[in-house]
Each structure stands twice: as structure tokens, then as C-alpha cells.
């Protein structure tokens, strides 16, 4: 009976190491063009180029340098917010309160400095704290309750929307805040958040520069740092990430606070370029940011995406929004364009995910 | 199977017990865990010594997973004691367990399918270079190390950039084990590493368990396959319905006894007598209760 024999302990040598640098040889290298096409960022880049070419042909005013600067400006206001929203989405969550949070931030800064008659920088700092606190609340609620981010941030969205209107009316007696353009420090703040500079005879808004700088930083963080690795991991498989020692709670909460930072920045830009803030604005913008991130190749379910994709996604949006105007069409078509682009992007994403997980 | 052609003998196994004097790295004293009113684990004693493989066997739902979740820091025990290096501990995150040198290879392998192989290998313990705020991943070093470690495991991958979800089950298992071994674990917990593998791949995994043991690691090998357990194990604990059914070292139990305990132990012997009443069932070859000589957990105190 072999059963009763004492089985010998296993060998004590580790398995033989593989021969040198030999390749497995079962996978053939695909052509570079094909591999590039499989990357979602490249897909959205080609899409953005196609949209650009389309409007260059159909809308002659677009060919002008100042029109292009205007398109880039439009893109940057979407793009700056689309970046943190995209990182959050790669981290597996999304934030419906991002749109109204921008207005909350601008309102806070405006009212604090005007009502207390202080230097605008005080308002700017308080607004930053408030924005980060909103992000912290979103993240903390999500981590503590385990509720889906859709529910948590839908709650925050409604709360902020109501608070924006009610508090503004309560304090200013109006739906908009008072003009702060003659207050101390306004010019400094405007220089940082909403100035214009000239390049080759074309006026370019500073937000375009900020947009590209933030995109570069986000790309570096995402691909070259521990934190970026953690973002992919918590979005891809939260349990696994936790099991191997990734600080999931920290990563999620900090991502929400990053969206808060983005909302603060865009809010400050709006405040210092228009001098006043309309308290009812911002509703619906959160979906634009999410759409830009999805079109940019971020997986709605998390775990995949890039920071450069949403840059092209936001550019497509800005291009279409302004291009329709330059082409002399009815601007109502804008949303229809958005819908088509979004669906197309989602289908491509789905295909990519299936390919990646194919055994 | 390849793992039977080795040089290990019974004497070698006994010699391995020398470090026992140093005391166990991990010890559970009548530990237990309740989820609300459900008692998943109760009165479990377990000692893990360096250079020894402690096998934990049990049927589905016997509490194996709960046991390793306590040791790996995913859950906290609700009764008894849990000691690491003779000091009582209570981990609140797996990070704390990892810092104590307790690494776990989970059943689901704890990999992120869409991430590249090398990123998965170093996930949570990334190599970095440069000063903050420019501290960044040392990608070249990580890729090189991952490639070397995987080659040591006998896995040769064309492209470490491919998502780990595209690898086969056995390959992913080996990546997970190589990762745990590489990260200098003193205690390696393997949760059913051979459950989803073919015969040959299981052999590779068992070899690696033996290799880890010879490096001085204490290995906790969770399985429901007594044959696999007996090939590498030095100590065997059989869990049954959340309690210890058997707690014996290798020289106190034979493979047959182990298999019997695994299959239900004394209950099977009782079942034999019932089956004897039924005509047409041949019970001659089945073991009697007194054949099951291995010490059961209750009387097994001090045996190890």
C-alpha cells in the first residue's frame, strides 16, 4: 500500500533558474503601430486631431490664432478639473460634487474677503481649506460607510448646491456675490489665476499654462511615483491592494481632496476673471469633467487610464464647444456631439479592458 | 512527482527541529474569532517555527481562511492570544503583519489584473530613488529584480509590462509566491497555493515551499490536499468546524492517518459501523477508530 509509505520530504533545492535571458517565445511582438493604437490615450489623441481637422475645414474662423487661443482657454477650464477627476476615476471612484464645489470655493473666497473687508488672499486661503474639507468629507464618508461614491457625492452635490444658493442670498441678499475687483490683493491674485499674456500677437490665458503644467505633474505622479502606483491599485482591485499593504484609505481620501484642490483652482480663476460669482452655476459641469476623463481613456470602473488622455478629452470638448460657434451652427448641437463622443469612447474602453484581461 | 527524488530524509526533518529551541515566530494560544454570533474559529493552538512547514488542513468552511486572516492582519482575533516573537500582538492592517515579517499569498493572489507584472510584484513595497519631492519609482531596478526573481522560480516572461491578468493561473501563483519570498518574509502563509493548479505546476509550487523552508522561513501551508501537505510538511494541524481536530508533528502521523482525519476522522470510523449494517458495502479495508492513533488536538498539548 503506497498510502502507508512515509512520503519523503520535498527536495531542498529551488527550481532550476531559467536559461539566461531566453524569451518564452510564445508571444510575438505586435507591430508598434498596432500597440500604440491599443493605448486609449492615442485613440483620444487621434479623435482630438480628427475633430480639429473637421472644424479647420468647416469653420474658417478657427484657423485664426486668437480663435485657437480661445479654444485652448475653454479647454483648460474643463481640463484643469478633468485631471483630478480622472485620477479619482483611475482610483475607482467618481465625484458628482466637483461641478458645484468649484462655485462653493469661489463663493467662499468672494464672500469672506468682501464681507469681512479683508485682503482677498485671506478669502483665497479659506476657500482652499473649505475645498479640501469638502474632499476630505467625501473621502472620509466613502471609506467609513463603504457606500458607493455615486451616493456619497450625490449627497454632497445636493448639499453644496443648496448651500451655495441659500447662503449667498442670506449674506448678500442677491444670487450673485459683490464685485471684489477693487479690494486689496486682487491684482496679485488675478495675475496668478486669471491673467493673460501675449505669444506672437495672440493673447493666451494663463490657465492654459496651468492646465499643461498640472497635466505634466499628474502624468509624472501617476507613472513614476509610489502614489501613482497606489492609485492604479486601489482602482483595479481594492482588496488586493489592501492585502499587499497599500494604504487604501489614505489614497482614496487624498484623491477626493485633490479634486477639492482642482475645484479651488478653477473657482479662483472664475472669481478673478469675472469679479463676481453666480451662486447657481456649476450644476452639470461635474458630468462634463467625468465625460472628459472617460473620453480620455479612464476606465469608469477604475484601474486604468492616464493623465494625458483627459487633456485631449478636454481639448475635444473645448474644440467642439467653440467650433460650433465659429462654424455658425446652433450651439444646441454641443450636447449631442458630447453624447456621441462619450459613447464612442466607452465602447473603445470596453474593448481595451476585454483585451487586457483575456487569458 | 519530482519532489520525491530529493535528498531529504526523516532524519533531516528532525534535524530541522533544532531551531525549535529559539521558540516559535508565530504562536496562537487557544485563539478564536467570532463574526457577530457566528463562531468561525475556536480554541486554535498553532506554533510556527523557522525552517519548518506547518500544514493547516481542513475541509471547506473549516476555518482555514479565518485563521490566516488573523495571522496576516486582515481580521482580529476575538479570543485567546496571538504572539509574534513571544510578544502578544493585534494587527489592525496587513501592513503591520508585513512589517513583522509575515507575508501572505492569498487564494485570489492579491494581484491587480490590469497592472503590469512588475508593478504587481512590487505593489505596496515599491523601490524608490531620489529625494522628496522628486522621489520616484526605481523602475529599472524593479523590473530587473522582478525578472531575476521570476527566473529563479522558473518563470520566463517575454514582457514584464503585460497586465498580470493575461498570465495563466499557475504563472500568477508563482509571481505571488516569488513576491512574498523576495520581500524577506520570516513567515510565509500560503493559502491553498496548489488548489487551482495542474500536477506539474503543483510540483513547482511544492518545491518552492521546500526552498523557502530551507532559507529559514517558517511556512504555513494551507491546503485541503493531504498528499501535498505530507510531501513538505513538518507539522500538521487539521481544522474541523472551526476547532482543532488534529495537532501532530510528522513523526506522529502517517499520510494515511492524515488523510483519514482530513476526510472526517473519527466520524468516518463511526460511519463505517453504520455502513457495515448495510449489505453490499465492503468495510474490511476501512480503518477502525483505534487505527487513528495520532493524537487529537485536545490531548496533543506539549507534543510539539
Amino acid at each position: 500500500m503506497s498510502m502507508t509509505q512515509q512520503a519523503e520530504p520535498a527536495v531542498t533545492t529551488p527550481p532550476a533558474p531559467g536559461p539566461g535571458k531566453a524569451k518564452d517565445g510564445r508571444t510575438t511582438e505586435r507591430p508598434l503601430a498596432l500597440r500604440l493604437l491599443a493605448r486609449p490615450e492615442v485613440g483620444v489623441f487621434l479623435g482630438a486631431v480628427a475633430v480639429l481637422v473637421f472644424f479647420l475645414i468647416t469653420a474658417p474662423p478657427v484657423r485664426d490664432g486668437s480663435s485657437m487661443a480661445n479654444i485652448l482657454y475653454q479647454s483648460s477650464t474643463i481640463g484643469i478639473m478633468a485631471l483630478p477627476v480622472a485620477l479619482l476615476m483611475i482610483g475607482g471612484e467618481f465625484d458628482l460634487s466637483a461641478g458645484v464645489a468649484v462655485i462653493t470655493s469661489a463663493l467662499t473666497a468672494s464672500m469672506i474677503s468682501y464681507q469681512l473687508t479683508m485682503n482677498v488672499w485671506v478669502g483665497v486661503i479659506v476657500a482652499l481649506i473649505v475645498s479640501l474639507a469638502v474632499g476630505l468629507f467625501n473621502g472620509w464618508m466613502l471609506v467609513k460607510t463603504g457606500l458607493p461614491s455615486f451616493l456619497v457625492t450625490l449627497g454632497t452635490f445636493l448639499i453644496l448646491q443648496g448651500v451655495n444658493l441659500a447662503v449667498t442670498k442670506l449674506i448678500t441678499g442677491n444670487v450673485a456675490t459683490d464685485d471684489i475687483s477693487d479690494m486689496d490683493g486682487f491684482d496679485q491674485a488675478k495675475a496668478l489665476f486669471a491673467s493673460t499674456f501675449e505669444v506672437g500677437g495672440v493673447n493666451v490665458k494663463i490657465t492654459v499654462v496651468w492646465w499643461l503644467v498640472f497635466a505634466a505633474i499628474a502624468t509624472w505622479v501617476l507613472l513614476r511615483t509610489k502614489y501613482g502606483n497606489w492609485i492604479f491599485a486601489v482602482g483595479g482591485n481594492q482588496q488586493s491592494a489592501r492585502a499587499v499593504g497599500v494604504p487604501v484609505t489614505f489614497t482614496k481620501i487624498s484623491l477626493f481632496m485633490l479634486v477639492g484642490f482642482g475645484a479651488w483652482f478653477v473657482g479662483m480663476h472664475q472669481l478673478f476673471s469675472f469679479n463676481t460669482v453666480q451662486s447657481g452655476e456649476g450644476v452639470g459641469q461635474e458630468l462634463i469633467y467625468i465625460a472628459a476623463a472617460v473620453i480620455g481613456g479612464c476606465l469608469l470602473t477604475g484601474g486604468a487610464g492616464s493623465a494625458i488622455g483627459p487633456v485631449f478629452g478636454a481639448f475635444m470638448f473645448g474644440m467642439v464647444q467653440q467650433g460650433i460657434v465659429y462654424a455658425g451652427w446652433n450651439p444646441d448641437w454641443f450636447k449631442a456631439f458630447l453624447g456621441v463622443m462619450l459613447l464612442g469612447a466607452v465602447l473603445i474602453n470596453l474593448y481595451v479592458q476585454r483585451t487586457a484581461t483575456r487569458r | 512527482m519530482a519532489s520525491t527524488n530529493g535528498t531529504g530524509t526523516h532524519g533531516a526533518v528532525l534535524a530541522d527541529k533544532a531551531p525549535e529551541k529559539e521558540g516559535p515566530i508565530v504562536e496562537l494560544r487557544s485563539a478564536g474569532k467570532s463574526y457577530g454570533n457566528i463562531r468561525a474559529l475556536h480554541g486554535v493552538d498553532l506554533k510556527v517555527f523557522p525552517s519548518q512547514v506547518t500544514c493547516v488542513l481542513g475541509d471547506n468552511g473549516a476555518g482555514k481562511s479565518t485563521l490566516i486572516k488573523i495571522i496576516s492582519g486582515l481580521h482580529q482575533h476575538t479570543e485567546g492570544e496571538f504572539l509574534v516573537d513571544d510578544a502578544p500582538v493585534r494587527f489592525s492592517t496587513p501592513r503591520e503583519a508585513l512589517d513583522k515579517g509575515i507575508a501572505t499569498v492569498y487564494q485570489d493572489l492579491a494581484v491587480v489584473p490590469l497592472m503590469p507584472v512588475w508593478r504587481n510584484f512590487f505593489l505596496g513595497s515599491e523601490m524608490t530613488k531620489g529625494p522628496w519631492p522628486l522621489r520616484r519609482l526605481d523602475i529599472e531596478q524593479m523590473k530587473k529584480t522582478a525578472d531575476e526573481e521570476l527566473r529563479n522560480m522558473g518563470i520566463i516572461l517575454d514582457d514584464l509590462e503585460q497586465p498580470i491578468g493575461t498570465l495563466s493561473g499557475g504563472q500568477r501563483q508563482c509571481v505571488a509566491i516569488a513576491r512574498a519570498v523576495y520581500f524577506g518574509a520570516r513567515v510565509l502563509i500560503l493559502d491553498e497555493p496548489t488548489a487551482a493548479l495542474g500536477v506539474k505546476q503543483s510540483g513547482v509550487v511544492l518545491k518552492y515551499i521546500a526552498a523557502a523552508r530551507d532559507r529559514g522561513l517558517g511556512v504555513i501551508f494551507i491546503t485541503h490536499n493531504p498528499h501535498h501537505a505530507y510531501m513538505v510538511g513538518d507539522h500538521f494541524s487539521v481544522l474541523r468546524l472551526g476547532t482543532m481536530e488534529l495537532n501532530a508533528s510528522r513523526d506522529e502521523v502517517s499520510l494515511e492517518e492524515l488523510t483519514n482525519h482530513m476526510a472526517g476522522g473519527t466520524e468516518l470510523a463511526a460511519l463505517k459501523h453504520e455502513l457495515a449494517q448495510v449489505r453490499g458495502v465492503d468495510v474490511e479495508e476501512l480503518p477502525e477508530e483505534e487505527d487513528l492513533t495520532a493524537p487529537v488536538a485536545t490531548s496533543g498539548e506539549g507534543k510539539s
Side-chain angles (χ1 to χ4, degrees), chain A residues 33 35-48 296 306 308-309 312:
Chain A
R35 273 185 291 156
L36 278 179
L37 274 178
R39 310 238 5 124
E41 308 86 270
V42 176
V44 67
F45 171 71
L46 294 179
S306 68
I308 201 73
F312 296 125

Side-chain angles (χ1 to χ4, degrees), chain A residues 7 12 20 23-24 27 224, chain B residues 119 137 151 158 166 214 250:
Chain A
T12 50
K23 289 280 186 185
D24 168 300
T27 48
R224 289 288 180 271
Chain B
R119 279 186 191 265
L137 298 177
R151 277 173 198 278
D158 284 345
T166 59
D214 292 344
R250 189 186 182 86

